[in-house]
Amino acid sequence: MQPGSSYRDSTRASDADRAQVCAILDNGYADGELDADEHRQRCSSAMSAKTHIQLLELISDLQAPPPVFTQQPTIAVKPNQKWIVVATAGGGIAAVAILGFIIAAWHSGSSPSPTAPVPAPTAPVAAPTAPVAAPSAPVPAPTKSFSSDTTGTYLPLADVVATVSGDFQDDLGHAPEHVSCPGDLAGQEGAFERCSIIDNGKRYTADVTVTAVKGIRITTHESINEVVPPPPSGP
């Protein structure tokens, strides 16, 4: 591969020229024309090449077309015009510097200094008001529940007796003298047992029924009635 006739062998290479040759070397390596060592060595030489001929020697045996190197234009300056050109350039630089100073001064004097943005007024925050409590549902009478690993959920005998005694006191105004119940009340909806009450020589029955079971919570209903003795039979 021979360089174009419009270039001299001693023309200095630019970074763009070196990059073109490295790209051609990359393509040659990709096409299998160069092995890895050749590709590495030639790319290193291309990056340190000083002239076009040194670059062309690195790709002269490849099938790629010759690169089009960047040719810097040359300007011939006559000796008697040298000082005129320099003076003209110096005057232009001074004029540009003065013009830049005037523009900078105009901007600094006419442009208002930036001010911090004024936040938009916010709506007044209303004072917190106390929450209005919703009317609460009537609280049922407290019930007790117990659980056992062997028998499951149930209401122990002592609590059945206490529940019956409390209901009797609510109805008649005093605690009964004696309350007797069969035993523990099973924690199953519909479970029932009847207790006996003796007070001031009178007998009463107290029916205790399980109305609901939720987990270990047992709800019961109690009904207390006086036992009226039968009339004495005639002779």
Side-chain angles (χ1 to χ4, degrees), residues 111-117:
S111 300
S113 58
T115 57

Side-chain angles (χ1 to χ4, degrees), residues 143-164:
T143 60
K144 294 183 179 180
S145 58
F146 300 85
S147 62
S148 169
D149 293 337
T150 57
T151 60
T153 303
Y154 65 96
L155 194 62
L157 173 61
D159 290 296
V160 178
V161 172
T163 300
V164 171

Side-chain angles (χ1 to χ4, degrees), residues 77-95:
V77 180
K78 295 181 180 180
N80 60 352
Q81 294 178 344
K82 180 176 181 180
W83 296 110
I84 298 175
V85 172
V86 173
T88 303
I93 294 173

Side-chain angles (χ1 to χ4, degrees), residues 40 45 51 86 95 102 113 119 125 128 140-141 167 177 195 221:
R40 182 174 59 255
S45 299
T51 63
V86 173
I102 294 174
S113 58
V125 179
D167 288 346
E177 295 176 357
C195 300
H221 173 74

Side-chain angles (χ1 to χ4, degrees), residues 28-41:
Y29 175 63
D31 294 339
E33 297 181 61
L34 300 174
D35 58 25
D37 291 337
E38 291 175 326
H39 174 262
R40 182 174 59 255
Q41 293 174 0

Side-chain angles (χ1 to χ4, degrees), residues 173-188:
H174 64 275
E177 295 176 357
H178 178 74
V179 178
S180 175
C181 296
D184 298 335
L185 181 61
Q188 299 176 357

Side-chain angles (χ1 to χ4, degrees), residues 186-202:
Q188 299 176 357
E189 188 173 348
F192 166 85
E193 68 180 32
R194 174 168 289 178
C195 300
S196 297
I197 302 173
I198 298 176
D199 184 72
N200 292 330
K202 296 181 179 180

